[in-house]
Amino acid sequence: MRNLNRTVFGIMILLASLFLSACQPIQAPDPAASSQSQPIETITGNNNGSSQVVPKAVRDLEGTYVGSWTLFGIDEESKVVELASWTDTIKAENPQMDDEQAYVLTTSEMVFDGSDAPPVTFTGREGYYLMPDGSLGDYFVETFGQVTKSTELGDNVWISVTPASAEDLASYLLPNDSSGQHVLVKVVASEEGVEIHRITRVTTVTWTDQAGQDRSIQFVSIQGFHKRQSE
């Protein structure tokens, strides 16, 4: 495994999109049910001054989640290798909303395996965009100033597609003209009564080799899970 001491922050940036896995509830939100739920927190809208209820689907995100993860990359021979592994704890709290979003605030702590680097803590937001009628739209996560949206494909199955960043591509040790994209799939299930979010990110990279031939490779670049902790 590569030395992490000088690359921990870079890995954090690479993983900004990963934390959409942290907090989505096990059941798909029902906007009608959300509008009928009893609030635990209200705010005053900026436009009409009316009191709005934080949707139940957002309040249900509150909690603590622990996870274990492995990050993979490509070496000089285009073979898949492990780059890093870590555990994390995410706390989601303080549900709130504004005119465009309903969300929780998150605090994440990452501890890297095989490294003497101290734990890394950072904050973010997760929740839903609000539709004009007040119902819930796309799910989003904001980390390090980056926003990633995910789409629900079926009951408790979510997907996001993001371009591979320059930092990603540099870590893959490929030519400078390489490009790629990530497809992240999350499935939420219940195992022995515990909510668990299983995550796999598949990366596809294309480049031109020294002989001028177009090449591509597809591999699992992140795999892991988050479990909701009991109160």
Side-chain angles (χ1 to χ4, degrees):
M1 194 181 303
R2 301 177 188 177
N3 190 319
L4 294 179
N5 292 336
R6 292 176 294 178
T7 60
V8 166
F9 184 74
I11 292 174
M12 289 167 55
I13 297 298
L14 299 182
L15 302 177
S17 65
L18 174 63
F19 297 102
L20 65 89
S21 66
C23 300
Q24 293 171 354
I26 195 168
Q27 294 295 334
D30 181 347
S34 298
S35 65
Q36 299 172 3
S37 62
Q38 296 299 314
I40 60 171
E41 179 179 356
T42 60
I43 67 167
T44 300
N46 295 329
N47 294 332
N48 56 22
S50 62
S51 180
Q52 296 175 302
V53 176
V54 177
K56 182 178 183 300
V58 177
R59 291 185 269 125
D60 286 346
L61 302 180
E62 282 192 289
T64 299
Y65 305 76
V66 298
S68 179
W69 305 91
T70 304
L71 175 71
F72 300 94
I74 306 170
D75 66 10
E76 294 88 343
E77 299 178 349
S78 299
K79 295 181 179 179
V80 178
V81 295
E82 181 178 329
L83 297 182
S85 60
W86 69 96
T87 58
D88 67 348
T89 301
I90 298 180
K91 293 184 179 180
E93 53 195 352
N94 193 17
Q96 55 193 273
M97 63 190 296
D98 55 32
D99 290 338
E100 297 180 350
Q101 301 171 334
Y103 56 89
V104 291
L105 303 180
T106 60
T107 302
S108 306
E109 181 181 81
M110 300 172 67
V111 179
F112 288 91
D113 301 334
S115 170
D116 57 7
V120 179
T121 301
F122 51 94
T123 59
R125 300 191 305 165
E126 297 193 29
Y128 297 86
Y129 285 99
L130 297 177
M131 303 296 287
D133 63 359
S135 61
L136 301 180
D138 289 336
Y139 196 90
F140 78 92
V141 58
E142 181 178 338
T143 312
F144 305 119
Q146 301 181 33
V147 176
T148 302
K149 296 180 181 180
S150 62
T151 302
E152 187 178 15
L153 294 184
D155 289 346
N156 306 316
V157 178
W158 302 77
I159 188 171
S160 67
V161 180
T162 57
S165 68
E167 292 86 358
D168 286 313
L169 297 172
S171 73
Y172 298 153
L173 304 179
L174 294 173
N176 292 333
D177 66 347
S178 62
S179 62
Q181 69 174 3
H182 305 301
V183 178
L184 188 147
V185 178
K186 177 176 73 73
V187 179
V188 183
S190 178
E191 298 182 9
E192 298 181 347
V194 177
E195 182 178 321
I196 184 167
H197 304 211
R198 295 201 175 278
I199 310 295
T200 297
R201 191 182 75 175
V202 176
T203 297
T204 304
V205 184
T206 61
W207 72 98
T208 302
D209 65 17
Q210 294 181 349
Q213 298 297 313
D214 293 334
R215 298 187 59 191
S216 66
I217 187 172
Q218 187 176 79
F219 63 99
V220 172
S221 56
I222 289 177
Q223 195 161 46
F225 65 86
H226 274 126
K227 285 185 177 181
R228 181 190 285 268
Q229 300 300 285
S230 59
E231 300 298 335

